[in-house]
Amino acid sequence: MATAKVLAGARVVLPTGTVTDGRVIVDGTRIAGSAPADAETVDLTGHWVVPGFVDMHNHGGGGASFTSGTVDEILKGIHTHRQHGTTTIVPSFVTGDMDFLVQRAGLLSELAEQGEIAGIHFEGPFISPCRKGAHDETLLRDPDPADVRKLIDAARGRAKMVTLATELPGGIDSVRLLAEHGVIAAIGHTDATYEQTVEAIDAGATVATHLFNAMPQLGHRAPGPIAALLEDERITVELINDGTHLHPAALELAFHHKGSEKVAFITDAMDAAGFGDGRYMLGPMEVEVKDSVARLVEGGSIAGSTLTLDRAFKRAVTVDGLPVEDVVRAISANPARLLGVFDTVGSLEPGKDADLVVLDEEFEVKGVMRKGEWLVAP
């Protein structure tokens, strides 16, 4: 069989817009500008072809935890999300003991070196006990730059993002440290005021961890972090579009203020994503998943999601009424740019990895390709 393929007849979403009856040429592991004579044609009439999804905030899936699973379990979780179109993934750790996080960072950095993941995200332990969500309060600590540096070093150049409550002692210095090392400083699980949030952005923070969730609500006298994060063009906001974490009006508000260039859809998925209801562990915390909604057994706080990015994509188009091109930016291009991997993934352009998703007219996944290989054949 020819290694080169011409995916023909679909609506293809390119950085310049959607091409009807378009074609994508795949030669080996990459997208090509022209097709060799022996290329195989794959007829995708009546479908969409979009770039592979990029998830920069994900705790697990397929029954596996990225925080505590074995290498085989982690690979199973990655595979689960790939089946749903996520061809690039950054595993996220929940709060743990520092020594444990250092050990886990070393383990995952090896998977990053092998190309299985695009880096590591530390969501905790440097977060506010007032806004801890599904994190173990006994393990939280202030963002001392020395501790932050310890985690970055443990990740051996593979740390991509650290979520901080930047109002805590050491928070602003830690933001500066992260910026100097090329690691995203993300504001989240925070009890910061508007003014404190502005200070953190000025220090170099560039991402809002799951905007609206685990932070003070928008107030007319005390606008809090949400107003600061929405108004500043330097910030990209993460959104969990599962219908549980956000009201559609909140999603619309974010897109209205940020535009499609400064929104990143994430899953914030935990082990149950792509797996089912039941009881799970999220770090040291027990979680019950019922009707696909994850909550802590103790206290009932929402504990991540069971979302996969194909569901976020479909909901954004069919429920939220967003243009497909805007959704592609939020789910592929924008996170790829933030993670520093847009030169290889995040859009359908010659020279980039052949990472793509085939969707039918109802926006259900019908094919997933990663580096030129069909993971789900159309």
Side-chain angles (χ1 to χ4, degrees):
M1 187 183 282
T3 56
K5 304 175 188 69
V6 179
L7 313 183
R11 281 173 282 193
V12 179
V13 182
L14 302 173
T16 49
T18 300
V19 178
T20 53
D21 196 17
R23 58 188 218 148
V24 178
I25 299 160
V26 176
D27 196 353
T29 62
R30 297 183 185 277
I31 297 169
S34 58
D38 64 344
E40 165 201 1
T41 298
V42 180
D43 182 7
L44 294 176
T45 304
H47 292 75
W48 293 82
V49 175
V50 300
F53 309 147
V54 180
D55 193 355
M56 55 191 269
H57 185 159
N58 187 318
H59 298 282
S65 164
F66 296 150
T67 300
S68 57
T70 63
V71 169
D72 284 347
E73 286 167 349
I74 291 165
L75 290 171
K76 181 185 173 190
I78 292 166
H79 176 73
T80 296
H81 284 283
R82 284 180 185 165
Q83 298 289 306
H84 292 274
T86 298
T87 50
T88 301
I89 195 167
V90 173
S92 304
F93 293 147
V94 292
T95 294
D97 174 81
M98 281 294 288
D99 290 340
F100 173 76
L101 291 174
V102 163
Q103 182 259 325
R104 296 298 294 178
L107 179 77
L108 262 75
S109 68
E110 290 177 24
L111 290 177
E113 283 152 22
Q114 293 161 19
E116 296 288 351
I117 61 174
I120 302 165
H121 167 217
F122 296 95
E123 189 184 20
F126 312 115
I127 61 175
S128 170
C130 312
R131 304 286 172 179
K132 65 183 185 296
H135 293 251
D136 184 346
E137 188 169 349
T138 64
L139 296 172
L140 300 183
R141 54 175 63 213
D142 290 338
D144 180 324
D147 285 341
V148 175
R149 180 67 193 264
K150 192 174 176 183
L151 291 187
I152 299 174
D153 289 347
R156 303 205 297 258
R158 302 295 178 166
K160 287 291 185 182
M161 185 161 66
V162 178
T163 295
L164 308 160
T166 52
E167 75 279 7
L168 296 175
I172 298 299
D173 286 339
S174 290
V175 169
R176 292 196 186 102
L177 172 78
L178 291 166
E180 283 165 16
H181 284 79
V183 179
I184 296 164
I187 299 172
H189 287 275
T190 176
D191 205 40
T193 63
Y194 173 87
E195 292 76 16
Q196 288 170 327
T197 306
V198 169
E199 186 187 3
I201 297 168
D202 287 341
T206 55
V207 165
T209 293
H210 45 52
L211 186 72
F212 302 111
N213 289 278
M215 58 183 66
Q217 293 182 358
L218 192 59
H220 61 293
R221 292 196 190 91
I226 292 171
L229 295 164
L230 281 176
E231 73 183 7
D232 198 300
E233 61 189 16
R234 293 170 290 183
I235 291 288
T236 298
V237 299
E238 294 181 346
L239 298 176
I240 309 170
N241 194 24
D242 61 353
T244 299
H245 280 79
L246 294 178
H247 189 282
L251 182 102
E252 188 180 350
L253 182 72
F255 269 90
H256 175 75
H257 281 275
K258 304 306 296 188
S260 62
E261 300 290 340
K262 290 290 180 179
V263 172
F265 281 137
I266 60 160
T267 60
D268 193 18
M270 45 78 72
D271 317 14
F275 202 65
D277 288 0
R279 289 216 172 186
Y280 298 85
M281 298 304 292
L282 184 61
M285 311 291 276
E286 192 175 12
V287 174
E288 181 162 19
V289 178
K290 190 174 177 184
D291 300 328
S292 297
V293 176
R295 293 187 179 276
L296 288 184
V297 172
E298 291 286 323
S301 177
I302 292 179
S305 83
T306 61
L307 189 61
T308 48
L309 279 180
D310 57 336
R311 281 177 36 219
F313 192 114
K314 178 173 180 170
R315 181 180 174 84
V317 178
T318 61
V319 177
D320 303 310
L322 292 170
V324 172
E325 296 81 3
D326 287 1
V327 179
V328 166
R329 278 187 208 104
I331 217 161
S332 299
N334 298 346
R337 277 199 187 91
L338 280 166
L339 296 169
V341 295
F342 190 64
D343 56 332
T344 55
V345 299
S347 66
L348 301 176
E349 296 176 86
K352 290 196 174 189
D353 290 349
D355 289 6
L356 55 87
V357 182
V358 179
L359 303 167
D360 66 14
E361 291 181 340
E362 272 74 52
F363 299 97
E364 296 285 345
V365 171
K366 294 298 172 186
V368 180
M369 178 181 281
R370 184 173 188 269
K371 297 187 189 298
E373 295 274 334
W374 288 115
L375 306 180
V376 178

